[in-house]
């Protein structure tokens, strides 16, 4: 075996197939033809003298040899990131790249604003932001595809370190002139009489609503459903009905006085947590550590007090 092949393009393509689960999806992310990815995987397997994947109808799954190689490749990439970070730290935070993955609700306001605020202090730091489902965020962090994951969580995840954690209760969101806007607190039972805008069934928010409605034997039928939290909140802001989200996701609209977020008394609506996640055991680059510190500084005193009480 030629050891140099473990440092070449074939390894980069191999890791992308591991992350995506298929050649076609990996090719799309790499912006190359699927045949180019297939050739590199075949080249790697020839050099190692063994197959690395089980070829399935709906994608590629690592076999035992592939698992070993993937573990080696991820460790090697983390070592490179660590050494690069140490070199950059000698020069101060003048350069660097922070890779973030987050859920859709944080991508329209919270994360971009946090990045812009950070770059006012450290203009040389670059960022990438990927958006995925809540279930995928810890997987991307664990696979090394992202340095930082920002998400909402109901449970802990293996090999994931929680850098920041604070309660993220679900609020009922209505237009500022809605009849419910001045209520100090609401229940799901009260809201069933109004048109509801709900996220899709993959979101933790929808899961909590469905669990609570099932427990209370409430019939919950949305008039508007979308994966976009921003679309749901905009619908409520236009007077279309009641939407649901956390205050961080709707922070910009709340500041603009377009909508009001009313607390919900239902138990399940208060069981989510906002989390900033990293890979457990990994030494983060200085730029990523500084950005996490900046996130914490950017939270209000009230939010920090709630986080500290919960932690």
């Amino acid at each position: 075996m030629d050891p140099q092949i473990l440092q070449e393009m074939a390894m980069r393509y191999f890791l992308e197939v591991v992350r995506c689960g298929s050649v076609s999806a990996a090719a799309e992310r790499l912006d190359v033809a699927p045949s180019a990815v297939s050739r590199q995987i075949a080249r790697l397997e020839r050099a190692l003298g063994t197959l690395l994947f089980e070829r399935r109808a709906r994608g590629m799954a690592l076999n035992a040899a592939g698992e070993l190689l993937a573990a080696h490749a991820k460790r090697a990439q983390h070592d490179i990131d660590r050494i690069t970070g140490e070199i950059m730290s000698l020069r101060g935070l003048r350069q660097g790249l922070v890779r973030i993955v987050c859920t859709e609700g944080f991508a329209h306001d919270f994360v971009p604003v946090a990045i812009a605020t950070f770059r006012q202090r450290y203009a040389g730091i670059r960022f990438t932001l990927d958006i995925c489902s809540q279930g995928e965020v810890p997987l991307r962090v664990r696979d090394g595809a992202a340095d930082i994951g920002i998400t909402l969580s109901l449970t802990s995840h293996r090999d994931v370190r929680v850098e920041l954690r604070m309660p993220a209760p679900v609020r009922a969101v209505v237009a500022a002139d809605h009849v419910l806007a001045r209520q100090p607190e609401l229940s799901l039972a009260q809201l069933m009489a109004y048109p509801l805008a709900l996220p899709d069934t993959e979101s933790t928010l929808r899961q909590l609503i469905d669990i609570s409605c099932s427990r209370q034997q409430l019939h919950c039928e949305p008039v508007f459903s979308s994966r976009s939290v921003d679309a749901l909140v905009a619908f409520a802001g236009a007077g279309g009905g009641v939407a649901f989200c956390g205050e961080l996701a709707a922070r910009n609209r709340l500041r603009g006085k377009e909508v009001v977020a009313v607390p919900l008394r239902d138990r399940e609506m208060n069981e989510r947590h906002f989390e900033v996640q990293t890979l457990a055991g990994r030494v983060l680059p200085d730029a990523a550590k500084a950005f996490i510190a900046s996130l914490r500084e950017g939270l209000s005193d009230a939010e920090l007090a709630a986080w500290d009480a919960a932690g």
Side-chain angles (χ1 to χ4, degrees), residues 106 152 166-170 246-248 269-274:
F106 295 121
L152 294 163
M166 54 182 276
V170 179
E247 291 190 47
L248 283 179
M269 299 298 98
N270 294 280
E271 293 182 347
R272 294 192 315 173
H273 285 82
F274 165 82

Side-chain angles (χ1 to χ4, degrees), residues 22-74:
S22 74
V23 167
S24 57
E28 185 174 348
R29 285 182 62 86
L30 291 164
D31 196 24
V32 299
S35 59
V37 178
S38 295
R39 281 196 301 272
Q40 292 296 337
I41 297 299
R43 178 172 176 244
L44 190 57
E45 289 178 327
R46 282 196 305 272
L48 295 171
T50 184
L51 294 177
L52 299 170
F53 293 94
E54 295 176 10
R55 272 71 170 175
R56 298 176 178 175
R58 294 191 175 183
M60 310 263 282
L62 289 172
N63 60 20
E67 292 279 4
L68 287 173
L69 182 59
H72 158 80
K74 290 171 186 175

